Amino acid sequence: MDASGRAGRGLMTAMSMDGADGLRRVRKVAETLDESQRLERGPEYRVDLERIRFSPYFSRMSAVTQVISQSGAGLAVHNRLTHTVKVTAVARAIAVSLAADTGERGQVVARLGGCDPVVVQAAASAHDLGHPPFGHLGEQTLDRLARDRFGLEEGFEGNAQSFRILTRLDEYDRAGAGLNLTAAVRAAVLKYPWDRAEGDRWSGGAERPRGLTPRVPGEGAPKFSAYTLDLDDFEEARAAYPAIAARQQTVECSVMDIADDIAYSLHDLDDFYRASLLGHAAVSTEFRTWRAERVALSQLPAATLAATSRAPGRGLEALRRRLLAKDAWIAQDDAFGDSVARIQEDVVDGLLAVPFDGSLDADRALAVFMSGWVSRLQRSIIVMEEPPIRSGHVSLDTAAWHDVAVLKFLQERFVLHRPDLAVYQRGQASVIERLVEALAAWLDDPRDVHRAPRRLLDLVGLAELDYREAAIGLDLSRDRVHALAIGRGVIDYIASLTDAQARALAGLVSGSSERLWDGGQVL
């Protein structure tokens, strides 16, 4: 793609600045800050943070599923916004510690481009903007439909969608510049710094960065941070960090990523404990059986382990093997065993042994538990100038890394695999499928397309402009460009809805809703 247009303006601005920090502050379009903004320390990054937090896409996250839907759970659980707020708090604490470090750790951070706490806050605030209705289930459904229904080879990916929102879909005060964020913040949201095709282009050996291994050859990377349409912004942002290797996160992005892991492993545990979804007896049996039969389980053939996967102890054994196979750079048998013992004592036989009864005492006990674990994990940060390929420059130490892995397993094993949740999610997938088909048919109707939602038509128009630019030098006909634009526009539109908006709109387009004007508010 010819990136000389939008990217070039930012690079021209950078040429007039001194040093690497000037590159970090580059925007797509040069801006002059007003007097009140210039009085602040680090005003450029503070402007970025405020633009993200004042964005309607940010507000929308309060009504988007994190793991389990609020409407389906029947109680107050974390949504994308509350999760994001907590990720931001954890990330800021880590960033402040690194920025204030005057020792070797701080020197390494400085050589790699720095770690500004406000940049980290902005990245943490933006990292989930692109997640569609219904959590990861919605993401998987949109990815499948984008490929199969519209022929979009890159499908849909929440991280790439977040970057597209920041740089293209959510406009601040001018067309074509997105929120016009600094390169530092744009780079800090690139959690998987490559495009989808990199999963098939990879020639660096058997060991790959996390998220780069294709599930099926020819399908590209399952995790990536930029669509081809947005690679100019991607490349400009990455150019501000010459010390960061290709396919490696910036330090600020790495801090955000670690904070996301910490928050996910603990705050979803908070939800499931309050909802009484983590039965103490079943969880305790899993942990006790693995510890008691650890040697015997380690000798089970892989086929036998898979065939008896629901038996007690098998889940933890499968996790141990998976960690050792994928992350030999840090995974250790002894550290895994220590983590299982620690979580059994503190979480399983400590927290979960006392059912949550909704009392003030229960709230206080849970708050103390969460605060203690978050603080411990925040203090377990290490910095590596030349990290292993599957790690960022910032990582958890060995003990904390294993703790997070075991905590995630606890939720996956005892909540995410529940049949009742699976039934509910299949219903949510059907909502998205109906929306895709109905909106695509509407846009293909020349007699009625003019009455389609204005936002949908705008998003198709943006996508068409982007595909025309991408088509330069490629053999793409005008009809093909238009078809791709309709697909991307529909996907962009549905991904911008809340859970409730998606349900209401699906009811309208299927003719089953009798609340016309209330439903119409989603358009």
Side-chain angles (χ1 to χ4, degrees):
M1 177 187 301
D2 180 6
S4 61
R6 286 179 285 166
R9 291 195 295 270
L11 293 175
M12 289 289 287
T13 307
M15 299 301 291
S16 65
M17 299 182 178
D18 296 327
D21 193 55
L23 289 173
R24 284 165 49 87
R25 297 172 189 274
V26 167
R27 299 184 187 277
K28 288 167 65 174
V29 179
E31 293 184 21
T32 300
L33 301 182
D34 63 35
E35 184 62 30
S36 63
Q37 292 169 332
R38 287 198 298 271
L39 293 175
E40 296 187 38
R41 181 177 179 274
E44 293 92 344
Y45 304 142
R46 179 65 58 183
V47 166
D48 288 357
L49 177 60
E50 290 174 354
R51 285 182 186 174
I52 292 167
R53 288 181 174 174
F54 278 83
S55 163
Y57 284 89
F58 185 79
S59 302
R60 162 192 168 270
M61 291 194 293
S62 66
V64 177
T65 293
Q66 169 64 15
V67 176
I68 53 177
S69 170
Q70 289 175 304
S71 59
L75 76 166
V77 296
H78 281 82
N79 53 53
R80 285 284 170 192
L81 183 58
T82 56
H83 166 74
T84 293
V85 168
K86 293 181 179 182
V87 171
T88 303
V90 173
R92 182 184 183 280
I94 296 171
V96 167
S97 172
L98 293 179
D101 194 319
T102 58
E104 176 60 24
R105 191 175 70 160
Q107 294 171 20
V108 170
V109 168
R111 288 195 293 270
L112 292 169
C115 185
D116 189 292
V118 181
V119 171
V120 171
Q121 286 179 277
S125 297
H127 83 282
D128 267 356
L129 290 178
H131 280 280
F134 312 132
H136 291 294
L137 177 280
E139 185 174 10
Q140 293 164 7
T141 305
L142 278 181
D143 183 41
R144 172 174 56 82
L145 293 170
R147 292 165 176 267
D148 297 346
R149 176 63 176 80
F150 298 117
L152 298 171
E153 294 182 3
E154 294 179 295
F156 175 86
E157 209 282 329
N159 294 281
Q161 193 70 16
S162 294
F163 193 69
R164 181 160 176 77
I165 287 168
L166 295 173
T167 60
R168 188 64 169 138
L169 304 184
D170 189 9
E171 296 182 336
Y172 172 58
D173 64 348
R174 66 198 76 196
L179 292 182
N180 202 29
L181 304 177
T182 60
V185 172
R186 280 179 280 151
V189 299
L190 297 173
K191 189 173 177 179
Y192 303 98
W194 50 79
D195 63 4
R196 185 152 226 162
E198 182 65 17
D200 295 319
R201 289 195 305 257
W202 174 259
S203 59
E207 193 174 25
R208 298 178 177 222
R210 289 182 302 116
L212 193 55
T213 303
R215 297 186 184 93
V216 178
E219 286 199 359
K223 294 289 185 180
F224 60 102
S225 284
Y227 299 117
T228 301
L229 298 180
D230 307 309
L231 282 181
D232 53 351
D233 291 291
F234 172 96
E235 291 163 357
E236 181 191 309
R238 295 283 296 177
Y241 290 84
I244 300 295
R247 296 177 292 277
Q248 179 57 262
Q249 300 168 340
T250 65
V251 171
E252 289 147 334
C253 180
S254 193
V255 169
M256 176 271 288
D257 194 8
I258 291 295
D260 191 22
D261 269 352
I262 292 173
Y264 176 78
S265 65
L266 288 171
H267 297 138
D268 292 336
L269 173 63
D270 180 315
D271 285 344
F272 303 147
Y273 173 57
R274 289 177 183 272
S276 299
L277 294 176
L278 293 169
H280 176 256
V283 178
S284 179
T285 300
E286 174 72 25
F287 278 71
R288 291 182 184 280
T289 301
W290 184 84
R291 294 185 68 193
E293 302 176 10
R294 177 176 178 177
V295 174
L297 287 170
S298 70
Q299 296 172 355
L300 281 179
T304 303
L305 183 64
T308 59
S309 62
R310 299 309 300 175
R314 268 60 169 182
L316 280 169
E317 175 59 23
L319 174 66
R320 182 191 70 84
R321 296 185 188 188
R322 187 165 66 249
L323 296 180
L324 289 172
K326 288 188 173 182
D327 290 290
W329 67 277
I330 192 170
Q332 301 173 10
D333 259 330
D334 289 345
F336 182 80
D338 291 344
S339 182
V340 170
R342 185 162 46 249
I343 291 173
Q344 180 182 334
E345 177 182 357
D346 206 16
V347 179
V348 181
D349 295 337
L351 178 70
L352 301 184
V354 181
F356 185 81
D357 62 7
S359 66
L360 292 178
D361 284 343
D363 273 337
R364 283 193 295 270
L366 183 55
V368 170
F369 171 87
M370 289 294 169
S371 176
W373 268 86
V374 169
S375 295
R376 188 180 83 77
L377 294 175
Q378 284 176 334
R379 294 193 302 269
S380 302
I381 294 298
I382 59 175
V383 177
M384 298 173 283
E385 191 154 14
E386 297 182 1
I389 195 170
R390 286 183 59 81
S391 174
H393 288 287
V394 180
S395 175
L396 294 169
D397 65 24
T398 300
W401 185 89
H402 284 84
D403 286 348
V404 167
V406 175
L407 286 169
K408 286 182 175 180
F409 157 81
L410 193 156
Q411 300 164 36
E412 178 181 340
R413 173 82 167 186
F414 296 100
V415 178
L416 301 186
H417 287 173
R418 290 171 61 107
D420 50 358
L421 178 60
V423 170
Y424 188 71
Q425 288 181 325
R426 289 182 70 86
Q428 293 174 325
S430 70
V431 169
I432 292 178
E433 290 167 353
R434 291 202 307 273
L435 282 176
V436 166
E437 289 302 326
L439 294 178
W442 198 350
L443 293 174
D444 284 338
D445 183 351
R447 296 170 301 176
D448 202 37
V449 66
H450 66 282
R451 292 202 301 159
R454 289 290 303 276
R455 179 94 181 159
L456 174 59
L457 296 176
D458 286 345
L459 291 174
V460 171
L462 284 177
E464 186 143 15
L465 288 174
D466 291 343
Y467 277 113
R468 284 177 186 168
E469 183 179 348
I472 297 174
L474 301 177
D475 186 20
L476 290 179
S477 67
R478 177 171 297 189
D479 287 345
R480 179 57 177 158
V481 166
H482 183 64
L484 292 173
I486 286 178
R488 183 57 64 193
V490 168
I491 296 298
D492 286 345
Y493 182 76
I494 294 173
S496 71
L497 301 174
T498 66
D499 291 11
Q501 288 174 331
R503 290 193 193 91
L505 185 53
L508 284 174
V509 297
S510 66
S512 61
S513 174
E514 295 183 0
R515 299 180 63 85
L516 170 62
W517 305 117
D518 286 349
Q521 296 302 310
V522 309
L523 304 181

